[in-house]
Amino acid sequence: MSSIRYALLSLLAREPLSGYDIKLQMNGRIGPFWKVGSNQVYPELSKMEAEGLVKLQGVEQHTYRPARKLYEVTEAGKEALIRWTVEPGGVENVRDDFLLKAYNAWLVEPEKMKVQVEEIRKLHEERLAAYEEKVEELKRIADPGKTDDPIASSISVVEFGVEYERLYIRWCDNFLKKL
Amino acid sequence: MSSIRYALLSLLAREPLSGYDIKLQMNGRIGPFWKVGSNQVYPELSKMEAEGLVKLQGVEQHTYRPARKLYEVTEAGKEALIRWTVEPGGVENVRDDFLLKAYNAWLVEPEKMKVQVEEIRKLHEERLAAYEEKVEELKRIADPGKTDDPIASSISVVEFGVEYERLYIRWCDNFLKKL
DNA sequence: AGCATCATGTAACTTGTTACATGATTGT
DNA sequence: ACAATCATGTAACAAGTTACATGATGCT
């Protein structure tokens, strides 16, 4: 059920990370999709540690700061992740307030709606640029030919993001024309 | 904050509905995006009634069944909806388990991944067909020329769905090729 | 006989969000 | 001086899911 745990495992399967790292990665560039709060990350890591899915790889201490706890997946964790990955199901959950607002466009003066659309359009332009850059960056370090290269999987997912943002921008332009 | 209330208002602004109707509309064709449970709909309707955003238009009683309570928006409700609609902000919340699974493709035998992708692809083909049909249906009853026609807004939103599903299918085909 | 539909609603539970707390350090 | 960054975590609250309860009717 709770799939936040698999999000954490997916990241940890690639490299050891601290809870803070995970938060940054999920809320950063790739993460307009999938935000998490620290209240989810830290307790979930502890739980998974208790269940033997992850273990502490080490603790970095810089005297003045809280200790940085680096986690890595265990064999059991990797198996659990693989089991979940090939398990059927995985429908997306989309909740788009802007689209709901567009559904109400008929209630509002077109000029006011235009302001809204342009604001959102700008946001998606920014995301698009970030994703495109990310794809370039990943392609530079990818190892072509290897099918089990995590970078190849990353590229596919970020490319989805690129196409999604392009679609969103096209749709905004179309919507603006109709207003 | 709670935007489920605006989803309900958006539907009620078009026609009076019962809680049950709202549930059907949201979980039906348009509603792979945005599912709601009865525990959300009924209490929220009561709350909004207490706040004067909606009011009972009438109660249909078919003797043997629970009374069917038809709600309609009040002026205050319509104003609240318009205020929310033109208010900035409205970033989408996407949580796509399948995309997360794709991110883990490198861990899994390609054959097993293919099964997964094909299953999801099929689901999106079905949705695409449903949305395309819906667009056709809406276009038949739309009143062209009128800018304040709710049907026009509906068409735009469902067309987003159409493009989204097409993108998803294209992406699946691409991903399959790479596996 | 047994399940699906209509129609309301409640209860128990799991998730997710927002805000707070600590505390030295680096940048403006 | 003040905010941001690093790094952990807790507490209070809001939202969402799953299951249940009622109860007549119509379909297979």
Side-chain angles (χ1 to χ4, degrees):
Chain A
M1 313 282 141
S2 101
S3 70
I4 218 244
R5 101 172 325 172
Y6 295 107
L8 305 191
L9 280 176
S10 301
L11 293 175
L12 289 171
R14 290 158 175 246
E15 53 179 337
L17 294 166
S18 70
Y20 191 74
D21 293 332
I22 290 174
K23 250 183 63 189
L24 285 188
Q25 284 207 26
M26 294 193 71
N27 300 343
R29 224 173 346 197
I30 314 139
F33 307 62
W34 278 69
K35 286 201 174 165
V36 279
S38 37
N39 60 114
Q40 289 181 278
V41 174
Y42 296 117
E44 191 65 38
L45 281 172
S46 303
K47 243 188 274 175
M48 288 198 290
E49 199 194 355
E51 291 173 39
L53 301 177
V54 299
K55 65 166 186 252
L56 271 174
Q57 193 213 37
V59 177
E60 286 170 32
Q61 185 73 57
H62 293 251
T63 59
Y64 60 89
R65 282 195 198 150
R68 191 177 133 81
K69 296 159 82 176
L70 267 184
Y71 290 93
E72 63 181 341
V73 276
T74 61
E75 259 316 302
K78 202 173 155 185
E79 276 162 29
L81 180 59
I82 290 174
R83 255 198 318 281
W84 175 78
T85 300
V86 297
E87 183 177 284
V91 187
E92 77 274 43
N93 250 60
V94 187
R95 195 140 309 191
D96 190 333
D97 276 4
F98 174 68
L99 241 38
L100 182 57
K101 287 178 176 188
Y103 187 71
N104 296 323
W106 65 283
L107 283 169
V108 171
E109 294 125 274
E111 286 313 310
K112 286 197 178 168
M113 206 62 219
K114 267 183 194 166
V115 179
Q116 275 284 62
V117 180
E118 262 148 20
E119 193 204 312
I120 291 286
R121 204 202 111 105
K122 209 178 130 201
L123 183 133
H124 287 283
E125 287 248 17
E126 280 162 20
R127 281 201 206 158
L128 173 59
Y131 291 161
E132 279 176 333
E133 207 188 300
K134 186 77 190 169
V135 170
E136 286 311 306
E137 186 192 318
L138 288 168
K139 278 189 175 163
R140 256 177 270 128
I141 57 168
D143 186 348
K146 272 180 72 186
T147 36
D148 59 343
D149 181 13
I151 308 290
S153 304
S154 297
I155 291 174
S156 289
V157 173
V158 183
E159 273 175 344
F160 182 95
V162 168
E163 292 306 322
Y164 176 80
E165 299 305 338
R166 284 188 186 146
L167 151 60
Y168 221 114
I169 293 165
R170 271 202 312 277
W171 184 86
C172 283
D173 288 337
N174 237 290
F175 193 62
L176 281 170
K177 261 185 240 157
K178 287 196 211 161
L179 283 175
Chain B
M1 320 282 140
S2 101
S3 70
I4 219 247
R5 101 172 325 172
Y6 296 108
L8 305 191
L9 280 176
S10 301
L11 293 176
L12 288 171
R14 290 158 175 246
E15 54 179 337
L17 294 166
S18 70
Y20 191 74
D21 293 333
I22 290 173
K23 250 184 64 188
L24 285 188
Q25 285 206 26
M26 294 192 71
N27 300 342
R29 226 173 345 198
I30 314 138
F33 308 62
W34 278 73
K35 287 199 174 165
V36 279
S38 37
N39 60 112
Q40 291 181 277
V41 174
Y42 295 116
E44 191 65 38
L45 281 172
S46 303
K47 242 187 276 176
M48 288 199 291
E49 200 194 355
E51 291 174 39
L53 300 177
V54 300
K55 65 166 186 253
L56 272 174
Q57 193 212 36
V59 178
E60 286 171 32
Q61 185 73 55
H62 294 251
T63 58
Y64 60 87
R65 283 194 199 151
R68 190 178 133 82
K69 296 159 81 174
L70 266 185
Y71 289 93
E72 63 181 341
V73 276
T74 61
E75 259 316 300
K78 201 173 157 186
E79 276 162 30
L81 180 59
I82 290 174
R83 254 198 320 280
W84 175 79
T85 299
V86 297
E87 183 176 285
V91 187
E92 76 273 44
N93 250 60
V94 188
R95 194 140 308 192
D96 190 333
D97 276 5
F98 174 67
L99 240 38
L100 182 56
K101 288 180 176 187
Y103 187 71
N104 296 323
W106 64 284
L107 283 168
V108 171
E109 295 124 274
E111 286 314 309
K112 287 196 179 167
M113 206 63 219
K114 267 183 193 165
V115 179
Q116 275 285 63
V117 180
E118 261 147 20
E119 193 205 311
I120 292 287
R121 204 202 111 105
K122 210 178 130 200
L123 183 133
H124 287 283
E125 287 248 16
E126 281 162 20
R127 280 201 207 159
L128 174 59
Y131 290 162
E132 279 176 333
E133 208 188 301
K134 186 77 189 168
V135 171
E136 286 311 306
E137 187 192 319
L138 288 168
K139 278 187 176 165
R140 255 177 273 130
I141 56 168
D143 186 348
K146 270 179 73 186
T147 35
D148 60 344
D149 182 13
I151 307 291
S153 303
S154 297
I155 291 173
S156 288
V157 173
V158 183
E159 273 175 345
F160 182 94
V162 167
E163 291 306 322
Y164 176 80
E165 299 304 338
R166 283 188 186 147
L167 151 62
Y168 221 115
I169 292 165
R170 273 201 311 277
W171 185 86
C172 283
D173 288 337
N174 238 290
F175 193 61
L176 282 168
K177 262 185 239 157
K178 288 196 211 163
L179 284 174

